[in-house]
Amino acid sequence: MPLSVEIITPEGKLLEVDDATHVLLPGSNGQIGILPGHSPLASSLDVGLIDIDRQAEESELLSTSGGFVEVHSDHVMVLAETAERADEIDVERAERALERAKEQLHRVEETERAELESAIARANTRLRAARSK
Ligand code: ATP
């Protein structure tokens, strides 16, 4: 039996499929691969790509800035801080965000660097997703 997958963001339900054969997620402690019949799991997610192989349809590729995943009874529920489908990513916006954060990185104190490094990781992940499609 295939997996059902739901991806929910603060803005609402971004994606729902019921024919996934494999789901790859950016777990905080490394990549998480889910196949049908996986044992129950809960994990936080890091910034990265979510790749969903489907039975009959083309695979789905998304970027996320992190969140949480729960797997139970062949259902994969992702609660994401932000997530975008690869083909809905605004490449120019991500490029601008990347340039802005890189430029600011040179000028800020050590204590302010973490937020800029997160912004760089988000933008790079969006660009990777958009360019993989
Ligand atoms: P920006 O500086 O461009 O706002 P950001 O990394 O600070 O980038 P976030 O705070 O992570 O943006 O996201 C805010 C909202 O905008 C989220 O709903 C996210 O999905 C969306 N978003 C951010 N960047 C893009 C993009 N390049 N294309 C499409 N949606 C985006």
Side-chain angles (χ1 to χ4, degrees):
M1 201 175 79
L3 298 157
S4 56
V5 184
E6 260 181 296
I7 299 186
I8 295 165
T9 73
E11 285 161 17
K13 193 177 289 187
L14 178 68
L15 182 87
E16 184 168 24
V17 303
D18 58 7
D19 65 343
T21 51
H22 183 242
V23 183
L24 195 61
L25 298 146
S28 298
N29 296 313
Q31 294 277 3
I32 301 173
I34 312 284
L35 288 165
H38 198 286
S39 47
L41 168 94
S43 170
S44 54
L45 297 176
D46 220 338
V47 58
L49 302 179
I50 300 175
D51 204 342
I52 304 169
D53 289 334
R54 301 184 63 181
Q55 230 161 23
E57 305 283 332
E58 232 185 277
S59 64
E60 302 274 355
L61 183 69
L62 302 99
S63 62
T64 180
S65 61
F68 193 76
V69 62
E70 191 179 270
V71 182
H72 192 75
S73 308
D74 282 340
H75 183 65
V76 180
M77 162 88 90
V78 176
L79 299 174
E81 288 159 11
T82 68
E84 305 87 32
R85 299 169 106 115
D87 51 12
E88 289 172 359
I89 288 169
D90 179 339
V91 170
E92 283 179 16
R93 176 175 167 180
E95 282 171 342
R96 281 197 306 275
L98 182 61
E99 285 315 307
R100 198 169 50 240
K102 275 185 174 170
E103 198 261 321
Q104 286 172 4
L105 202 55
H106 299 299
R107 298 192 273 112
V108 299
E109 300 290 319
E110 190 75 40
T111 50
E112 294 171 69
R113 290 218 178 118
E115 179 44 43
L116 290 174
E117 280 162 1
S118 298
I120 289 171
R122 290 196 298 277
N124 273 328
T125 302
R126 288 177 178 130
L127 292 172
R128 262 173 67 210
R131 288 169 181 160
S132 304
K133 266 284 167 184

